[in-house]
Amino acid sequence: MGKEHIATGWQEWARLPELGLPPLQTKIDSGRQTSTLHAFMTEEFERDEQVYVRFCIHPKQNDHSDAIMCEAPILGKYEGTNKHGDPDNDYLIRTTIQMGQQQWPVELVITNMDDMTFRLLLGHSAIDGRLIVDPAATFLLGGPDDIIDNPPQKAEK
């Protein structure tokens, strides 16, 4: 028998512990291919001969009073278009996501979505084979305190 799928609503809480972020309200968007993390003040830099991206996040929806600075190795560049059809040249990173009692590696596009409600959008490449989404439900995995509190295993390359 295969791996058991996790039942979720279209909106859940998720944590990205390797980035040092608190739980984020997350939109599960099975119609979207990529997963996206809202960020601003992105800056590319080098450390120990590896290229990184430094960025800031407003972790709370509709609240710009807090900003958290994060860093992650760059997996690649993501060339797409924004909602206006203009070209975007964003960064792609790999990190660990924790939802409910589960965790797994996920690839995220780092882009400025300040005009969007959600700070984290999970597309089907991140949820395929793991989640079953009930579009009429929200927070089936509980609140932000219901996410596992285990140290993450480093996301594999």
Side-chain angles (χ1 to χ4, degrees), residues 15-88:
R15 182 180 291 149
L16 303 170
E18 293 170 349
L19 299 179
L21 294 171
L24 302 171
Q25 258 183 291
T26 303
K27 180 178 181 182
I28 314 298
D29 191 348
S30 61
R32 178 185 188 93
Q33 169 68 29
T34 58
S35 298
T36 308
L37 179 64
H38 159 68
F40 62 100
M41 292 177 49
T42 56
E43 171 187 34
E44 194 173 309
F45 69 99
E46 196 171 307
R47 177 188 300 144
D48 300 326
E49 298 183 21
Q50 183 164 4
V51 183
Y52 281 72
V53 61
R54 181 178 295 124
F55 51 93
C56 289
I57 293 180
H58 296 299
K60 297 177 188 166
Q61 289 182 200
N62 306 313
D63 183 351
H64 293 144
S65 62
D66 288 333
I68 298 174
M69 185 173 289
C70 306
E71 295 179 353
I74 295 174
L75 186 61
K77 297 276 181 121
Y78 180 80
E79 296 179 17
T81 55
N82 64 23
K83 69 180 186 178
H84 305 293
D86 300 322
D88 271 340

Side-chain angles (χ1 to χ4, degrees), residues 1-8 102 104 126-133 141:
M1 184 123 194
K3 178 171 39 172
E4 187 176 324
H5 291 82
I6 305 164
T8 70
Q102 304 294 319
W104 64 92
I127 66 173
D128 190 27
R130 296 185 183 278
L131 306 182
I132 299 286
V133 182
L141 299 178

